[in-house]
Amino acid sequence: MPLGPDRLNYLNDVIEYLDEIFRDINQGYLFDFLPWLIPFYTTHIKKIMHWSTTKRKFILYKIVDCRESNINLEEPDKDFTDALLKSLREDQNVSRNTIIFMFEDFIGGHTAVGNLIMLVLAYIAKNPIIGELIMQEVDFVSNYGVRSISLYDMNKMPYIMAVILEVLRHSSSPIVPHVAMEDTGIPGFGVTKETIVFINNFVLNISENNWKYPAQFEPKRFLDQTPVLNKLGKITKKNYNNGFQLKKCIPLFLPFSVGKRTCLGKNLIRGFGFHLLVYIIKNYNVNSADFSKI
Ligand code: HEM
C-alpha cells in the first residue's frame, strides 16, 4: 500500500527516533551504572520515553493491527511480517511482546544499515582513492559491466567488505551494555549477578595494542595477502588483487558484539551493505565539492 503524506511523515519521525534511540543506548551515561543519579536526568529520560512510545504506537497501529485483522492462515506468508504474525497465532510460546520487540529491532536495524552506507559514502568522498579501488574491483568482477554482480561475488571482492569493516571500526557504538544474569567470572575478575558489564568498543577499536596506526582510515588492515590454496594444498591462480582476502578472524573487533546476544542482522548487513554499495559505486560518482565539510 503506498504511503500517504501523513503516514510518510509519521514514518520519517519513527525512523529519526529509532536513530536517536540507537545512538543514545550505547553512549554510556553515568546513571546506567549509578541509578541513584536518575533524578538528575529526568528531562533526558522523558525525551527517550517520547521516542519509544511514538515508535511503539507506530508498530502497533500501523503494522501489527492493520495486518493482523487481514491475515489469512491458509495462504502462504507474503513476507516477514506475515510470518511473525502467524507465529503469534500458531505457537503459544510466542508472546505479543516478542513480536513487537522483533519488529522494533528489525526496523531499527534497517535504519542502521542506511546510516552505515551513508558513512561509507562520506569516507569515499573524503578519500577518492577508496572509491577508485572499489570501482576496480567492481569492473574486474563484472567484466567491465558485461555481467551483473550478485551476492555470490562477495568473496571475490574483499576490498569492498574491508571498507565496510573499517568504517565500522571508526564508527561502531562505543559501548555495548549487558547485565550479568547470574554470578560468573570473566578471566581474572569475579562478576556478581546484576553487575552491568560493558564491551568497550571505543577502546578496542582505537587501541595501539590492537591496530597499527589506529587513527588512520586504512581498509587494507582487514585484508590478508595469502595465496589461495586448493584442496591439495597447491597454489591456485591468484585473483586479480594479488591474493588479497578478507581476514577470517579479528578477535578484538566486535562491532556486532559476541555470544548469544550477538547482532541478529550481521549477515544481512554484510549482504545488503555489499549490494547497496556496489550498486551506488557502479552508477554514481561519489565526491564532495568541499571535503572540509565532511
Ligand atoms: C551497522 C549495522 C548494525 C550494527 C553495527 C549492529 C550492532 C548490534 C549490536 C552491537 C547489538 C548488541 C548485541 C549485544 O547486546 O551483545 C545488536 C543487537 C541486535 N541487532 Fe544489530 N546491528 C546492526 C544492524 C542490524 C540489522 C540490520 C538488524 C536486523 C535486520 C539487526 C538486528 C539486531 C537484533 C535483533 C539484535 C538483538 C539481539 C539480541 O538481543 O538477542 N541489527 N546489533
Side-chain angles (χ1 to χ4, degrees):
M1 192 200 313
L3 296 178
D6 282 357
R7 246 179 127 200
L8 201 57
N9 284 341
Y10 193 6
L11 178 64
N12 284 341
D13 283 350
V14 169
I15 288 174
E16 196 186 312
Y17 293 164
L18 278 163
D19 275 351
E20 293 288 356
I21 291 169
F22 271 89
R23 195 186 55 78
D24 206 83
I25 285 175
N26 298 324
Q27 288 307 306
Y29 293 105
L30 268 180
F31 71 81
D32 286 338
F33 39 95
L34 301 175
W36 49 268
L37 285 174
I38 284 179
F40 297 102
Y41 287 84
T42 43
T43 316
H44 185 68
I45 287 171
K46 271 191 196 148
K47 210 160 55 182
I48 300 176
M49 298 286 283
H50 170 64
W51 296 334
S52 358
T53 41
T54 312
K55 66 143 168 75
R56 171 74 40 104
K57 274 188 197 152
F58 178 87
I59 285 164
L60 271 177
Y61 302 138
K62 301 286 179 187
I63 304 180
V64 178
D65 290 354
C66 273
R67 289 289 283 271
E68 208 177 13
S69 49
N70 297 320
I71 204 146
N72 183 342
L73 291 178
E74 308 305 319
E75 280 182 10
D77 304 339
K78 282 196 287 299
D79 54 24
F80 181 66
T81 308
D82 259 13
L84 274 185
L85 290 173
K86 278 190 193 173
S87 72
L88 189 60
R89 301 246 183 117
E90 290 167 350
D91 185 344
Q92 288 190 338
N93 296 323
V94 176
S95 75
R96 211 171 171 72
N97 265 350
T98 308
I99 299 287
I100 292 164
F101 292 148
M102 285 178 97
F103 276 125
E104 287 180 357
D105 277 349
F106 275 78
I107 296 178
H110 280 84
T111 69
V113 183
N115 291 339
L116 174 66
I117 296 302
M118 288 300 288
L119 269 177
V120 174
L121 295 179
Y123 277 100
I124 292 174
K126 200 170 177 184
N127 310 279
I129 183 72
I130 293 168
E132 279 166 34
L133 290 173
I134 295 180
M135 194 63 211
Q136 279 175 22
E137 233 177 28
V138 170
D139 280 343
F140 180 82
V141 172
S142 70
N143 198 6
Y144 292 86
V146 172
R147 76 164 178 89
S148 51
I149 291 178
S150 75
L151 291 181
Y152 294 111
D153 294 313
M154 271 167 75
N155 289 343
K156 293 181 207 139
M157 303 175 75
Y159 187 73
I160 198 164
M161 294 312 298
V163 172
I164 294 178
L165 293 180
E166 181 67 342
V167 171
L168 274 172
R169 187 179 71 85
H170 279 262
S171 59
S172 49
S173 314
I175 57 152
V176 178
H178 277 226
V179 179
M181 307 295 285
E182 55 191 45
D183 292 346
T184 182
I186 300 175
F189 300 92
V191 178
T192 46
K193 187 177 171 182
E194 292 183 1
T195 304
I196 294 176
V197 182
F198 290 152
I199 295 179
N200 192 336
N201 272 330
F202 178 72
V203 168
L204 288 177
N205 290 353
I206 61 159
S207 164
E208 288 191 347
N209 295 333
N210 304 342
W211 311 95
K212 211 168 164 185
Y213 308 119
Q216 278 178 19
F217 186 84
E218 180 43 275
K220 283 191 178 157
R221 67 175 82 246
F222 286 98
L223 299 176
D224 262 339
Q225 195 179 22
T226 43
V228 186
L229 302 182
N230 68 13
K231 282 187 187 151
L232 301 169
K234 297 253 159 57
I235 295 177
T236 57
K237 194 169 162 252
K238 286 180 178 180
N239 58 16
Y240 88 102
N241 49 9
N242 297 325
F244 274 117
Q245 286 173 304
L246 207 57
K247 282 185 183 161
K248 293 264 181 302
C249 174
I250 306 141
L252 295 170
F253 181 56
L254 307 170
F256 301 110
S257 185
V258 278
K260 62 181 176 183
R261 304 310 296 267
T262 186
C263 174
L264 281 186
K266 63 184 174 190
N267 285 334
L268 189 140
I269 296 148
R270 256 167 62 84
F272 193 30
F274 167 81
H275 225 302
L276 201 55
L277 204 51
V278 166
Y279 180 83
I280 295 172
I281 294 288
K282 242 174 100 179
N283 293 287
Y284 299 93
N285 283 326
V286 180
N287 53 45
S288 161
D290 183 357
F291 293 138
S292 64
K293 289 196 177 145
I294 295 181

